[in-house]
Amino acid sequence: MTSRNYNLFFGSQIWWQVLLVTLFIAFRLVLVRNMGSGGWNEIDVLPLAKHFVDPSWLPNDWYLDRPAGYRWLFQTLVGKLIVHWGFLATSIIGRLFCYALSALGIVLLGKRLGLSLPFILLATALFCGIEEGYKQGAIADEWMIGGLEAKAIAYGLILIAIPLLFSRLYFWVAFLLGVATSFHVLVGGWAFLTSFAWLCLRYESRFPKFKQVILLAITYILASSFAILPVIQQLSESAPDRIIKPSYIYVFLRLSHHLNPLSWGWQWLAPAIYLVILAGIMYLLNKQAHTRQWLPIDNHRQELGEFALISLVPFISGVAIAIWDTQGQWLQYYPFRLGDVMLPFTTCFLGVCLIEHGWSNKYQGLKSAYCVALLFVAIGFQSIVFTQQIWDLRNFPGQQQDVTPEWKAMATWIHQHTPQDAAIISSPVEQTNFSWLTERSTIAKFKLLPQTKAAIIEQYQRWDDLSGNYVLGKYVASGKVSKQKTKEVLEEGYSKLTTAQVKRLMNKYGASYILTKNKHQLNLEVVYRHPPFVLYGNSIIN
């Protein structure tokens, strides 16, 4: 990178803007559901990271003991932070790091698009400020900026790579996309393929020379080296010989909200609206550009629109594939992932470009004043929420972590009064944070899904056992499956387990206790009761 390009992209004048955008995002999201069971996945990935670095923590937990796979780099780095600082501090610090990466990319992109800082903040607020940041995707529930996990780091690196791509700084693009792939192979991989297709779209003006292509390929491969072995292992691993395939479990039973477009129903209205709005914005920006001299910012706006539309090619292909991919063998690779977030992201940023520059310049000052006023109003409302979030940290974990006072009391009792190596049967759906709060191993949780084919089949068997055997099989055979229905079947089956079935479960998994609700009566010794929960031991009452 030349000194001119360095100053253009990383000069001291942009760092205060990056800091402001980072703080702006953090003000909205940094204290939202840290280690919560819904929305983001910290309750899944952070305990995995701690166990990976410190195997003596919950050494007998089957799920936590699964291989790291593509998460190796993330688990190594973050796991060490958790061991030294704990879960909450790591969640906050890790999120701030992810927000800083995203903020750098957003500011660099905003400069390429010709946006001033207030309008950069407005676009950022539009993208990640609704529904606590969960619904950043158009339909497939994908997100870029939120909790701490591998894909949050990957997306931050991709956001930096995009403006560098538009400025033809291909070496840094290849490096950043490679590192993104090392952190999350699917997020980085789809971004790499989208960038390559973007280059090919206007081959003569964009594609680098052959010698440079070789260098870029080597750079990407080296930077993505942490993902190579997991990819080879995943592709070469043979699935256990079972009637149900791991990909079917993954796509249709567990992650249909991400991967099965045939189950999304009326939600298809959202991406359709985004596409219409984006097409209108691009038309108006193009029309405006042709009324004056064509500027570099016009090129970059067009390039961002093209990048977003190219990211929708796998998305649209996924819809076509879903018609015949009844086992999820192709859908499991998340073809909807990148396009799902790039469509709203691009709509927000190009829409704000139209707001700032789309009308007569004589109203520029007035528009900026309105924008700043709107931001101050939003910050004022958010300050009330943020103050409450800080106040709630006194009782961490609490409501934001899906921890009721009753469940917190029961988890504390289990932690203090049961052997450290005890295995405890618990609901496959509720109390996703069981192992984190009690520091005791359990059998399986619906949200916590392993990544290898053999482990997914084992997880399915554990779900089946916890729902009373054969209940899950009958449900799958009906063909009418979804994530929500699967959860309902599992929870209903668990609540109807008989004493004999529980005893078989205890013998099979070496469990000494079962946690359930008061209304679930079992002919076993009551070890502790804290309504609505009851903990049974393994002794039968005559």
Side-chain angles (χ1 to χ4, degrees), residues 54 63 69 92 219 273 308 323 341 416 420 448 475 519:
D54 180 13
Y63 175 72
I92 293 173
T219 301
I273 292 173
I323 297 173
V341 285
Q416 295 176 348
Q420 288 187 358
L448 312 182
Y475 159 67
K519 61 183 179 181

Side-chain angles (χ1 to χ4, degrees), residues 269 358 479:
L269 186 62

Side-chain angles (χ1 to χ4, degrees), residues 81-248:
L81 297 181
I82 297 171
V83 168
H84 288 94
W85 296 343
F87 287 103
L88 179 59
T90 299
S91 171
I92 293 173
I93 294 170
R95 287 186 184 197
L96 289 174
F97 173 74
C98 294
Y99 300 163
L101 288 178
S102 297
L104 176 57
I106 286 170
V107 170
L108 292 179
L109 181 62
K111 289 171 68 68
R112 297 296 87 198
L113 298 177
L115 291 174
S116 60
L117 180 60
F119 287 92
I120 290 176
L121 292 173
L122 177 61
T124 304
L126 290 173
F127 177 65
C128 65
I130 301 172
E131 293 191 53
E132 297 184 326
Y134 298 153
K135 302 297 183 181
Q136 294 170 12
I139 189 173
D141 278 356
E142 181 67 350
W143 55 268
M144 277 187 178
I145 306 170
L148 172 60
E149 59 180 274
K151 76 173 181 181
I153 299 175
Y155 273 126
L157 296 169
I158 290 166
L159 285 176
I160 299 172
I162 289 174
L164 299 182
L165 178 68
F166 298 163
S167 296
R168 312 305 190 258
L169 299 174
Y170 294 144
F171 172 81
W172 291 105
V173 173
F175 174 75
L176 289 168
L177 292 181
V179 177
T181 306
S182 280
F183 274 100
H184 198 291
V185 64
L186 290 176
V187 170
W190 284 119
F192 171 77
L193 292 175
T194 300
S195 300
F196 182 77
W198 182 88
L199 293 173
C200 294
L201 180 65
R202 302 183 187 274
Y203 181 89
E204 293 184 356
S205 61
R206 294 176 181 172
F207 211 83
K209 296 179 180 179
F210 179 76
K211 290 183 179 180
Q212 191 179 6
V213 170
I214 300 299
L215 176 62
L216 295 176
I218 293 173
T219 301
Y220 177 77
I221 291 171
L222 291 176
S224 63
S225 58
F226 289 104
I228 294 175
L229 183 59
V231 169
I232 294 173
Q233 291 174 338
Q234 175 70 19
L235 295 177
S236 61
E237 181 189 6
S238 58
D241 188 16
R242 294 289 297 271
I243 296 176
I244 189 168
K245 292 183 178 296
S247 57
Y248 184 90

Side-chain angles (χ1 to χ4, degrees), residues 32-48 63 70-71 74 91 95 134 141-143 146-152 184 254-255 257-258 334 337 432 447-449 483:
V32 173
R33 300 184 71 85
N34 306 81
M35 291 297 290
S37 299
W40 299 314
N41 299 312
E42 289 180 351
I43 193 60
D44 179 2
V45 299
L46 297 192
L48 278 170
Y63 175 72
Y70 73 87
R71 292 169 172 163
F74 175 83
S91 171
R95 287 186 184 197
Y134 298 153
D141 278 356
E142 181 67 350
W143 55 268
L148 172 60
E149 59 180 274
K151 76 173 181 181
H184 198 291
R254 175 59 185 89
L255 295 166
H257 60 303
H258 290 312
Y334 282 83
R337 168 157 264 159
T432 300
K447 185 175 177 67
L448 312 182
L449 187 67
K483 173 189 173 182

Side-chain angles (χ1 to χ4, degrees), residues 11 37 39 43 70 88 90 165 195 215 227 233 267 292 300 304 364 390 392 408 437 447 473 523 526:
S37 299
I43 193 60
Y70 73 87
L88 179 59
T90 299
L165 178 68
S195 300
L215 176 62
Q233 291 174 338
Q267 297 177 75
R292 52 167 169 72
H300 296 315
L304 177 60
Q364 194 66 36
I390 294 176
D392 289 343
K408 191 172 187 177
L437 293 181
K447 185 175 177 67
N523 192 29
V526 175

